[in-house]
Amino acid sequence: GRPLFTARVYVLPTSKFPLSLEHTRALSALIQDTLSTELGLPVRTLTRQIETTSVMLYPSGEDSPYGSQDTLLTDTNLVFLSGIAAHLTMVDGESMGARAPSTRSEAVLDVWMHTTVADELGVQAEERYEVHDLRRGTAIPIRIAGTWRVTDPRDPYWQQNPNINLRHLLLVREVDYEA
C-alpha cells in the first residue's frame, strides 16, 4: 500500500560512529537530493524516525501504585518521528503539537504512549515514571503527557502498521529528543 518509489534508508550508529540529530538532518538532505537527482523525480515527503536503544520503564518514587522503584514495567525505546503529531488522535492528555516546536520539556521529559499499552499497564496521562538506560547507568524522569491512537493506519504517512511497530515505543518531540 505504499506509494510508488518509496524508499526507506536505515543508518545504524555505533560507538565509533554516533549519530547526532544534526547529523540525521544532514544525511536526510543528502539522501533526498541524491534520490531526486538520480531518479529525476521530486521527493514529496521525507520522514525521519530516530530511536534510542532499549530503555527500561520503572515507577518513579516510593508511593507508586505499580510497586517499588525496582519494579520493571516494560522495556521500550524513546522515538522521534517527524510529522507524527498530525497523524495521531489523542485519547487522553495533551497533544504532541500543543506547544511550540521549540519549547522543550521542563525538568521531566514528556512522552506519549500508545493507548493500548497504557491500558495494559494501567498507566494514566500526567503520571511520572523513569526510563533507565542500563548500559550507561542513567535514569531519565518522564511524564506521560498523553496517550494516543493512530487516526488512520492506512495513511501513506506510515511505512508499516503503527499499531504494531510503534505500539511499545514512547514518542517524544524532536526538541526533547535532541536535549
Side-chain angles (χ1 to χ4, degrees), residues 23-163:
H23 198 168
T24 68
R25 289 182 194 111
L27 283 173
S28 295
L30 177 65
I31 291 166
Q32 181 174 350
D33 290 345
T34 300
L35 286 173
S36 180
T37 300
E38 294 299 318
L39 294 175
L41 296 171
V43 174
R44 280 206 225 158
T45 59
L46 175 76
T47 304
R48 290 179 301 128
Q49 179 174 333
I50 303 162
E51 298 182 24
T52 64
T53 56
S54 182
V55 293
M56 306 297 147
L57 180 66
Y58 288 96
S60 178
E62 295 298 325
D63 58 348
S64 170
Y66 305 101
S68 74
Q69 287 178 291
D70 298 332
T71 303
L72 174 63
L73 299 176
T74 190
D75 64 318
T76 186
N77 300 62
L78 300 174
V79 148
F80 158 69
L81 190 59
S82 61
I84 194 170
H87 303 276
L88 302 178
T89 299
M90 290 298 117
V91 175
D92 191 24
E94 156 185 347
S95 166
M96 288 186 81
R99 289 181 248 155
S102 61
T103 305
R104 288 181 25 198
S105 294
E106 298 296 322
V108 176
L109 175 65
D110 287 328
V111 302
W112 285 262
M113 182 180 275
H114 194 286
T115 189
T116 60
V117 173
D119 290 345
E120 289 167 7
L121 295 174
V123 168
Q124 304 291 316
E126 298 300 322
E127 290 181 332
R128 294 177 183 238
Y129 298 89
E130 289 183 350
V131 290
H132 293 228
D133 182 340
L134 301 179
R135 285 175 301 280
R136 292 186 177 94
T138 59
I140 300 172
I142 64 168
R143 176 181 77 100
I144 306 298
T147 60
W148 59 272
R149 68 176 173 78
V150 174
T151 304
D152 179 5
R154 292 178 306 272
D155 186 322
Y157 172 82
W158 305 111
Q159 288 288 315
Q160 298 172 332
N161 184 338
N163 290 316

